[in-house]
Amino acid sequence: MKWPAIASLTYKETIRNRILINILLFAVALIALSLIIGDWSLGEQAKVIKDFGLSAMSLFGLLIALFIGIRLMVQELEQRTIYLVASKPVRRWEILFGKFAGLSLTLLLNVILMLLALWAVDWIIEKRIDFELAAAVVLIYVEILLIVAFALFFSSLMSPTLAAVATLAVFIAGHLSPILRDYVQLHPGSGLKKLYLAIYYIIPNLENLNLKMAVVEHLERPPHAVGMGILYGLLYLSFVLTATCMIFEKKDLK
Amino acid sequence: MTCFAIQTNRLRKVYQGELGQKDYVGLEGLDLEIPAGEVFAFLGPNGAGKTTTIKVLMRLLRPSSGSVMINGVSNTQHQSMERVGYLSEQPNIYGYLTAREFLDFIGKLFGLAPSVRRKRIDGLIGLVGLKDRDRTLIRGFSRGMTQRLGMAQALMNEPDILILDEPLSNLDPVGRKDMRDIILSLKAQKKTLFFSSHILHDAEIVADRVGILDHGRLVQTGTMQELMGSGLKTIEIIYSIPEAGESVLGLSRERIVRQGDRTLTWTENMESAQEILGKLLKNGGKVFSVTPQRQSLEDLFISRIRG
Ligand SMILES: Nc1ncnc2c1ncn2[C@@H]1O[C@H](COP(=O)(O)OP(=O)(O)OP(=O)(O)O)[C@@H](O)[C@H]1O
Ligand SMILES: [Mg+2]
């Protein structure tokens, strides 16, 4: 197994890449927000902080996944650093998977630190730790991984700019996809029904990975929401990664 | 069946043209057979397809057709690279690592144990002369230093076969000497060496056999003797002689090049050279130099490619 070596290299590369600044920014934003809403009722304060915190985590994660994910392989090819790696007795998929795993580790650290910051600020307000937040964060992390996989997939097929647009489109469509399904159910005669359904089935339903509202508002969650979300996300992920590996396997490293 | 260290069979590589552009045939029907222990210089002008060939050998490019065997194993299998060391053309290496960290990473890709890696890294850092820079970031390396590190990583697995793309370019005179010494010591260790260059002098010194590539086709291969033996030889004489003595030599006008008081002439064989020298001395001339000019690889090269 050679991919762990590539993963640890990628981790090393990406961890120094603005990740700490990102976490700092996140913490500062949280604290600033908590000061602004300082005279609201405690319950309201906690709600707003959690809502903002989880949304920001999702957004920051998305941006890092998108930009670093797309650069991950593209940079290796552009700078030709890949030559001395891909010419070793290593399978191509191990290079790709190693890259993915390394960035995943960086993002995991990132998400954990953000969660700790959120817990700290929430503790100052509520004087208790809301462990429910972790449930939402786990699924946010799975979503981020899925975005990395799509970024890798698209960047192996098209220019970095196009790949960024395509990945972003998947993200947006993924959150809208349940709306499409509902629309089709409400208007069964719609002419574009097949297209909508196709989009619904091809694009991952990212709302399956969204527990933010449920956690913040203490709503009742569907049973096994976290477990099913993880399963759904990882299945989809392995699908996208496998496809990307197959493309990369045949690719000329010019 | 004998098994070659490197063997290609009707290798062809077409670069697919981007939207609207024509396809480009980078390699056409390339057959190479490099026996183990041979030093083979792969020569050709810029754009001949040397790098293309080497990238196909190293599994970086997929051939459009044809096949590559390394030590009898098809290079479609990644294991075929186990005993190969490769230095890419103008290598680029991760700037955020130190030389040591990079070599350690390469060692891991070869599946070497930590203790083996450490020992080899120490040796290689010394061999390529990076002793006092081995713990600084590669980001700050010059081209020449990166090239040295590139050579070190090519030797990390103690390979039997070395495939080097322009190993002697980007180096200062000291660097060239160091690199050539490394290549000569690898030759002494009976390693198979396949290196590309467009500087023929490099090949003349170290190669057993030479292949000349042009426009993606192999136009000639042969041992150094075969290639040089056919060369036309001339002997150049530089002399000076008082004006009056000139005619005594009986040289034809187109064989005389004057530069101040010195004159250059040339002839095809030793006998006539000796005759000229005799006359020169008898008539009060002075001889500055007598230089036999064997046809250089350079000339051969140009005649092959122009012809
Ligand atoms: N990625 C590519 N896409 C299209 N054409 C390419 C590509 N890479 C190389 N070529 C073309 O293939 C030909 C051979 O290039 P190659 O780099 O193999 O030459 P070379 O012999 O190594 O030259 P040099 O001495 O300059 O290194 C060139 O005409 C080049 O333009
Ligand atoms: Mg080249």
Side-chain angles (χ1 to χ4, degrees):
Chain A
M1 282 293 119
K2 309 284 173 61
W3 66 263
I6 292 162
S8 91
L9 199 73
T10 307
Y11 171 72
K12 207 166 177 165
E13 180 198 359
T14 50
I15 196 72
R16 55 186 94 183
N17 228 329
R18 294 174 225 110
I19 297 279
L20 285 176
I21 297 174
N22 161 49
I23 289 160
L24 220 68
L25 215 70
F26 176 77
V28 169
L30 273 186
I31 291 164
L33 180 67
S34 71
L35 293 177
I36 292 169
I37 59 173
D39 53 355
W40 295 13
S41 79
L42 286 188
E44 283 298 312
Q45 276 190 46
K47 224 178 236 180
V48 170
I49 281 290
K50 288 178 201 169
D51 190 18
F52 172 81
L54 292 177
S55 304
M57 225 183 267
S58 207
L59 188 72
F60 280 37
L62 166 77
L63 290 179
I64 299 176
L66 189 67
F67 289 110
I68 303 187
I70 283 172
R71 296 297 303 151
L72 216 47
M73 288 313 299
V74 171
Q75 185 172 297
E76 289 269 351
L77 288 164
E78 276 175 1
Q79 302 186 347
R80 298 179 291 119
T81 44
I82 190 122
Y83 292 172
L84 296 185
V85 178
S87 55
K88 300 295 182 281
V90 183
R91 295 180 189 85
R92 286 273 179 96
W93 71 258
E94 293 201 67
I95 297 177
L96 193 100
F97 185 71
K99 288 259 153 200
F100 172 80
L103 179 54
S104 300
L105 195 61
T106 296
L107 287 164
L108 179 64
L109 194 75
N110 192 33
V111 164
I112 288 175
L113 288 177
M114 285 198 278
L115 177 60
L116 289 179
L118 181 56
W119 265 337
V121 174
D122 183 41
W123 193 81
I124 293 169
I125 297 167
E126 288 195 292
K127 296 286 175 296
R128 74 177 192 92
I129 291 176
D130 183 357
F131 287 103
E132 283 289 283
L133 289 178
V137 170
V138 166
L139 291 190
I140 287 176
Y141 181 60
V142 172
E143 176 176 359
I144 290 173
L145 294 189
L146 204 48
I147 296 299
V148 174
F150 272 106
L152 279 171
F153 174 74
F154 287 123
S155 68
S156 69
L157 287 175
M158 50 189 92
S159 77
T161 318
L162 276 181
V165 172
T167 310
L168 206 59
V170 166
F171 177 79
I172 294 168
H175 280 290
L176 296 180
S177 105
I179 298 177
L180 279 184
R181 180 198 48 194
D182 295 346
Y183 181 83
V184 170
Q185 275 167 3
L186 286 176
H187 308 269
S190 160
L192 292 173
K193 179 178 166 183
K194 287 227 171 74
L195 178 70
Y196 290 157
L197 277 182
I199 293 176
Y200 174 73
Y201 283 113
I202 291 171
I203 304 279
N205 180 354
L206 294 178
E207 283 301 311
N208 283 348
L209 304 175
N210 187 359
L211 284 184
K212 293 181 204 88
M213 178 86 102
V215 164
V216 172
E217 304 285 347
H218 302 290
L219 304 176
E220 197 173 335
R221 286 189 240 141
H224 312 298
V226 177
M228 290 305 282
I230 294 176
L231 197 67
Y232 177 78
L234 293 189
L235 258 170
Y236 217 101
L237 182 79
S238 49
F239 215 68
V240 179
L241 274 186
T242 307
T244 313
C245 284
M246 281 162 66
I247 296 167
F248 189 53
E249 201 74 39
K250 301 220 155 68
K251 202 176 170 77
D252 271 350
L253 307 180
K254 306 196 221 207
Chain B
M1 196 189 94
T2 50
C3 154
F4 291 96
I6 303 170
Q7 185 176 27
T8 69
N9 179 23
R10 306 231 58 76
L11 214 52
R12 179 179 151 88
K13 176 68 196 174
V14 180
Y15 285 111
Q16 229 75 50
E18 307 276 303
L19 294 170
Q21 301 209 298
K22 274 206 276 181
D23 288 359
Y24 184 87
V25 180
L27 281 182
E28 185 69 89
L30 182 70
D31 291 313
L32 285 172
E33 287 180 341
I34 317 290
E38 181 172 88
V39 179
F40 186 87
F42 197 42
L43 305 175
N46 290 129
K50 305 180 294 291
T51 299
T52 303
T53 307
I54 289 180
K55 283 198 202 160
V56 172
L57 295 180
M58 298 312 300
R59 313 173 74 239
L60 298 173
L61 299 179
R62 288 164 70 91
S64 307
S65 65
S67 61
V68 176
M69 306 284 268
I70 304 285
N71 274 335
V73 179
S74 162
N75 85 336
T76 52
Q77 285 176 288
H78 69 282
Q79 292 93 336
S80 62
M81 296 293 123
E82 215 78 66
R83 309 294 315 143
V84 180
Y86 164 59
L87 172 60
S88 58
E89 181 181 43
Q90 301 190 13
N92 263 344
I93 301 175
Y94 307 109
Y96 54 89
L97 295 181
T98 66
R100 255 174 201 284
E101 288 170 335
F102 180 64
L103 290 177
D104 194 58
F105 167 65
I106 294 297
K108 286 183 194 165
L109 294 185
F110 281 116
L112 302 175
S115 59
V116 178
R117 298 203 296 267
R118 211 171 315 120
K119 217 183 292 159
R120 286 202 192 157
I121 290 170
D122 287 336
L124 288 171
I125 291 279
L127 180 74
V128 299
L130 284 174
K131 266 241 159 59
D132 41 347
R133 296 300 294 269
D134 63 331
R135 288 173 205 277
T136 55
L137 290 185
I138 295 167
R139 203 189 306 290
F141 276 22
S142 67
R143 279 248 129 255
M145 288 160 68
T146 311
Q147 184 92 345
R148 286 162 185 264
L149 179 56
M151 191 66 188
Q153 67 80 38
L155 297 172
M156 195 63 199
N157 57 334
E158 299 192 332
D160 305 324
I161 302 175
L162 277 131
I163 298 181
L164 312 172
D165 200 352
E166 309 257 3
L168 294 164
S169 54
N170 293 310
L171 294 169
D172 60 14
V174 178
R176 290 175 70 78
K177 186 193 173 309
D178 287 357
M179 195 65 87
R180 199 175 292 131
D181 286 348
I182 292 173
I183 291 176
L184 285 170
S185 88
L186 293 168
K187 178 177 173 157
Q189 294 167 48
K190 300 265 178 287
K191 309 258 188 207
T192 308
L193 270 147
F194 181 98
F195 72 96
S196 75
S197 179
H198 50 256
I199 302 164
L200 305 158
H201 183 62
D202 300 341
E204 283 187 288
I205 294 177
V206 293
D208 301 321
R209 214 154 58 94
V210 173
I212 299 178
L213 193 72
D214 187 38
H215 288 102
R217 287 169 190 275
L218 202 58
V219 291
Q220 184 155 21
T221 53
T223 62
M224 288 311 281
Q225 288 95 321
E226 280 166 7
L227 294 186
M228 310 299 291
S230 65
L232 181 76
K233 294 180 180 74
T234 62
I235 297 156
E236 284 182 7
I237 302 170
I238 299 178
Y239 63 92
S240 75
I241 194 165
E243 199 81 40
E246 188 71 74
S247 60
V248 182
L249 300 176
L251 299 169
S252 72
R253 274 186 176 279
E254 50 283 10
R255 292 243 169 156
I256 294 176
V257 180
R258 271 215 191 82
Q259 180 100 101
D261 64 337
R262 297 193 179 193
T263 311
L264 166 76
T265 188
W266 63 93
T267 173
E268 273 73 43
N269 58 61
M270 258 314 168
E271 292 79 59
S272 70
Q274 254 148 10
E275 193 183 315
I276 295 170
L277 287 171
K279 285 184 191 161
L280 259 171
L281 296 174
K282 234 186 276 167
N283 293 282
K286 264 194 244 161
V287 177
F288 294 103
S289 70
V290 180
T291 324
Q293 301 278 313
R294 43 183 201 125
Q295 184 194 21
S296 70
L297 202 48
E298 211 104 43
D299 302 329
L300 176 75
F301 188 63
I302 289 167
S303 75
R304 286 306 308 185
I305 284 166
R306 294 253 171 85

